[in-house]
Amino acid sequence: MNAVTLQNISKTYDKGKVLAVDDISFEVKEGELFGLIGPDGAGKTSIFRILTTLLLADKGEASVAGFDVIKDYQSIRNNVGYMPGKFSLYQDLTVVENLSFFATVFGTTIEANYELIKDIYDQIKPFSNRRAGKLSGGMKQKLALCCALIHKPLVLLLDEPTTGVDVVSRKEFWEMLKTLKKKGITILVSTPYMDEANLCERIALLQKGKIMSVDTPENIIKAFPYMLYGAKSDHIYKLLNDLRTAKQVESCYAFGEFLHVTLKEKQDDGKEILRVIAEQNGHSNIWIEEIKPGIEDSFILLSAEQD
Amino acid sequence: MDEEKVITCKALSKKFGDFYAVNEITFDVNKGEIFGFLGANGAGKTTAMRMLCGLSFPSSGEATVAGFDVYKQQESIKKNIGYMSQKFSLYENLNILENIEFFGGVYGVERKEIKERSALLIQSLGLEKEAKKMVGELPLGWKQKLAFSVAIFHRPKIVFLDEPTGGVDPVTRRQFWDMIYEAAATGITIFVTTHYMDEAEYCNRISIMVDGKVEALDSPANLKSQFSVHSMDDVFYQLARGASRSAD
């Protein structure tokens, strides 16, 4: 059974002027860790709000844990855990008060489902009497996750849980998600960080309200149609401009330490062609190699095709 | 090495009660340099930036920004820097041209100059058709590019960018860095924070703050070889993993 289904879902705002979600369909399988990957304005939050029954779609059908988002909205609310992008716990209640409030609202107790949150809650337990508003960003995030889990939901919906969080806390958070997945909870999580796509089993790449691709990260990368080259020299910004203006080059983008370059036509000696361009433009310490593309390469290519 | 220093910082500290938010940081930033200012949440980056922007008095230590003292010449500092953050947006209910005119005026650019430069700016951004559009109607990527252009409109010696590319799509993020490189090439010094480790690679030098102190300061290549790792992500992880503090 699918834990989440969306069929031709569309949503507009401002009397139809702004198309936020454009005919989107995908499924999340039971027990799956599924990622919605896309920048701000891609439609991620609208999708979450439709699935949590907080917003009505203009068109299409959707279900969560087998319940229809319109007919069975009450059942969905009882069976999903939702962590919105904006911190939404009670700032004036303490850690333990927030947790017990959410447990009570869902007709359960902290003790009844403690096993599920134990690993996460142990990390904030020393601060259980601190007000939520006084917690650090990383701790707020952990408390919000505990509150979303306390009624043992069938599906966990996490809207940009790692945005603005540093690399260390992001790694910890994804470790927690892996552990929850092992306990059988279906997780739909969104992120603007392309590097986090690889931590999901399957992903949907979203841009401007449209799905560009749904598949495993490996398959999306495998479908990248070009040979990709990494390039650098002593003057990387000059090299970027020189390669971009070269007639053989299809695309050239900065990617951390290297430039990522594709050529217009498939060439057996692509490395040599790029080296000659760099040399002709007077570059020194030139380094050019064939490299494996990543999700961000695929995303850039697919969004160029979309425009 | 007699490169012109745009920021000098010597044992600069900020104490809140018994808590050292910033604990004796020392570094210089050269003219035209792209300087990455990294650190975990709560490491003290924002507090340090507020002191350098003339918005908060240090508890001890010395620092100059654009040649002005952070204790005595805060107003001169403010006139000579630009500032842009992810949260700061322009006035959404003013159009593009009005925003440029407003901020140009606030920073004391002459009326005639504003007119000439704003026409050039709108042309170089390719926004001729949108010039009379409310800023609130622009896509996020355009807003951020415009905010950056406005932050350097008065030709400051240095511009502080606080997570300028958060949430922006991958293509626009790269276009934004093109603008940063261009600005640096005209001699404007760039002081930038980011959570994207690939962007750390675009900086000439990087400092990494942990628990109020600068724990590493060098070029990305040197940092990677110093820590014997292959990516800035690993450098950052090794340093910040041991942090005892975490906050917003």
Side-chain angles (χ1 to χ4, degrees):
Chain A
M1 196 190 84
N2 288 320
V4 177
T5 64
L6 285 93
Q7 239 174 39
N8 306 104
I9 288 283
S10 291
K11 176 72 196 173
T12 59
Y13 295 110
D14 209 2
K15 292 177 187 140
K17 268 194 277 178
V18 182
L19 183 56
V21 179
D22 188 0
D23 196 23
I24 276 184
S25 306
F26 69 91
E27 284 111 38
V28 181
K29 291 174 199 144
E30 207 169 306
E32 196 171 30
L33 176 52
F34 189 100
L36 288 178
I37 317 290
D40 289 2
K44 304 189 297 291
T45 299
S46 296
I47 293 174
F48 277 110
R49 292 181 59 82
I50 290 166
L51 293 175
T52 48
T53 76
L54 300 172
L55 190 70
L56 287 173
D58 297 358
K59 266 184 270 172
E61 284 171 30
S63 73
V64 180
F67 301 110
D68 184 87
V69 287
I70 296 169
K71 282 197 305 253
D72 313 316
Y73 75 95
Q74 197 60 50
S75 305
I76 289 184
R77 290 180 189 185
N78 289 334
N79 285 293
V80 303
Y82 174 41
M83 193 172 148
K86 187 171 177 285
F87 182 71
S88 302
L89 302 182
Y90 293 93
Q91 311 256 5
D92 293 337
L93 295 185
T94 65
V95 167
V96 70
E97 282 167 348
N98 264 297
L99 196 55
S100 105
F101 174 82
F102 280 93
T104 312
V105 164
F106 284 104
T108 182
T109 59
I110 298 178
E111 293 72 33
N113 294 315
Y114 192 67
E115 211 37 52
L116 191 59
I117 61 161
K118 187 179 176 303
D119 292 346
I120 308 161
Y121 191 64
D122 276 350
Q123 302 173 49
I124 48 173
K125 218 175 175 181
F127 312 97
S128 55
N129 289 318
R130 191 179 287 190
R131 287 183 188 191
K134 297 278 179 208
L135 293 175
S136 72
M139 288 196 283
K140 273 182 185 163
Q141 190 196 38
K142 284 172 190 151
L143 176 60
L145 186 58
C146 287
C147 290
L149 281 168
I150 196 63
H151 58 298
K152 209 174 182 190
L154 299 169
V155 179
L156 195 55
L157 302 163
L158 309 171
D159 193 5
E160 295 203 28
T162 55
T163 293
V165 173
D166 68 61
V167 175
V168 179
S169 306
R170 277 168 56 189
K171 278 201 175 135
E172 283 176 8
F173 196 82
W174 280 94
E175 285 305 317
M176 290 184 254
L177 294 191
K178 264 193 230 164
T179 313
L180 289 171
K181 187 198 135 50
K182 283 190 195 129
K183 292 180 180 170
I185 295 177
T186 306
I187 303 171
L188 176 63
V189 56
S190 70
T191 176
Y193 298 106
M194 303 281 150
D195 56 338
E196 295 184 338
N198 294 314
L199 303 168
C200 304
E201 286 169 282
R202 284 196 309 139
I203 53 172
L205 297 182
L206 245 69
Q207 168 97 316
K208 295 177 190 160
K210 278 205 178 82
I211 287 187
M212 303 190 293
S213 180
V214 183
D215 212 328
T216 62
E218 298 76 37
N219 284 344
I220 288 178
I221 289 168
K222 244 187 255 166
F224 191 79
Y226 293 94
M227 177 64 82
L228 190 68
Y229 301 92
K232 68 173 173 176
S233 76
D234 283 342
H235 291 279
I236 196 121
Y237 185 58
K238 184 178 179 301
L239 185 63
L240 177 75
N241 288 321
D242 290 340
L243 290 178
R244 262 188 202 161
T245 44
K247 60 179 190 302
Q248 302 96 321
V249 172
E250 171 72 24
S251 75
C252 179
Y253 289 105
F255 256 86
E257 191 183 1
F258 312 111
L259 304 174
H260 285 194
V261 193
T262 59
L263 294 171
K264 275 182 186 142
E265 280 157 47
K266 206 175 167 109
Q267 307 279 0
D268 294 331
D269 55 349
K271 255 165 72 172
E272 208 37 51
I273 292 174
L274 291 171
R275 178 173 294 279
V276 169
I277 300 171
E279 278 167 358
Q280 282 169 349
N281 285 286
H283 286 275
S284 51
N285 279 327
I286 301 164
W287 180 98
I288 291 163
E289 283 296 328
E290 288 171 10
I291 54 166
K292 280 195 188 126
I295 287 293
E296 197 156 355
D297 292 293
S298 300
F299 193 97
I300 290 176
L301 182 71
L302 290 166
S303 54
E305 286 169 3
Q306 188 188 11
D307 282 335
Chain B
M1 292 290 280
D2 54 348
E3 280 177 276
E4 195 185 325
K5 307 271 184 250
V6 178
I7 298 178
T8 65
C9 207
K10 217 167 141 188
L12 192 70
S13 297
K14 178 81 186 188
K15 236 173 125 180
F16 296 110
D18 295 334
F19 177 73
Y20 273 97
V22 174
N23 193 352
E24 299 205 345
I25 57 171
T26 300
F27 61 86
D28 296 331
V29 180
N30 302 317
K31 183 175 192 287
E33 187 171 34
I34 302 176
F35 189 84
F37 196 59
L38 310 187
N41 300 114
K45 295 192 302 280
T46 305
T47 308
M49 265 177 99
R50 285 179 58 80
M51 289 191 279
L52 295 176
C53 291
L55 295 171
S56 146
F57 283 106
S59 305
S60 60
E62 293 164 30
T64 63
V65 175
F68 300 105
D69 185 87
V70 292
Y71 292 93
K72 292 183 217 137
Q73 297 170 298
Q74 288 192 332
E75 289 314 306
S76 304
I77 288 177
K78 287 177 199 163
K79 280 182 195 144
N80 282 282
I81 62 169
Y83 177 79
M84 174 200 163
S85 88
Q86 184 188 354
K87 279 167 206 140
F88 165 77
S89 211
L90 305 170
Y91 288 95
E92 307 236 318
N93 295 323
L94 296 182
N95 69 33
I96 294 179
L97 207 54
E98 287 165 344
N99 265 292
I100 297 173
E101 281 168 3
F102 175 78
F103 283 100
V106 165
Y107 278 105
V109 183
E110 303 257 343
R111 243 166 220 287
K112 206 174 130 236
E113 276 284 314
I114 291 179
K115 228 178 165 183
E116 285 170 16
R117 274 196 233 164
S118 55
L120 272 175
L121 173 59
I122 284 172
Q123 195 187 356
S124 72
L125 289 171
L127 288 172
E128 291 97 331
K129 278 187 200 137
E130 284 87 2
K132 294 276 164 67
K133 244 191 193 166
M134 296 300 156
V135 163
E137 290 170 28
L138 295 175
L140 176 78
W142 277 113
K143 277 189 200 166
Q144 294 300 85
K145 284 192 230 170
L146 184 64
F148 177 70
S149 306
V150 169
I152 59 168
F153 188 77
H154 59 293
R155 306 208 173 134
K157 294 201 172 70
I158 173 164
V159 62
F160 290 86
L161 307 173
D162 196 0
E163 287 184 41
T165 55
V168 172
D169 73 79
V171 177
T172 313
R173 208 149 69 75
R174 286 170 174 79
Q175 292 168 349
F176 193 89
W177 273 90
D178 286 350
M179 295 177 71
I180 291 180
Y181 276 113
E182 265 174 46
T186 68
I188 295 178
T189 305
I190 314 283
F191 189 96
V192 59
T193 75
T194 178
H195 279 307
Y196 293 100
M197 284 304 127
D198 60 327
E199 294 187 345
E201 295 275 5
Y202 307 154
C203 302
N204 299 117
R205 285 190 307 146
I206 294 163
S207 76
I208 301 179
M209 271 186 90
V210 182
D211 291 346
K213 294 190 175 136
V214 170
E215 291 292 356
L217 173 69
D218 213 325
S219 67
N222 288 348
L223 285 175
K224 279 183 283 183
S225 73
Q226 187 190 327
F227 286 86
S228 317
V229 291
H230 294 293
S231 71
M232 279 310 299
D233 203 89
D234 291 334
V235 172
F236 188 92
Y237 190 69
Q238 282 204 14
L239 278 169
R241 195 179 40 185
S244 57
R245 279 164 34 184
S246 67
D248 272 316

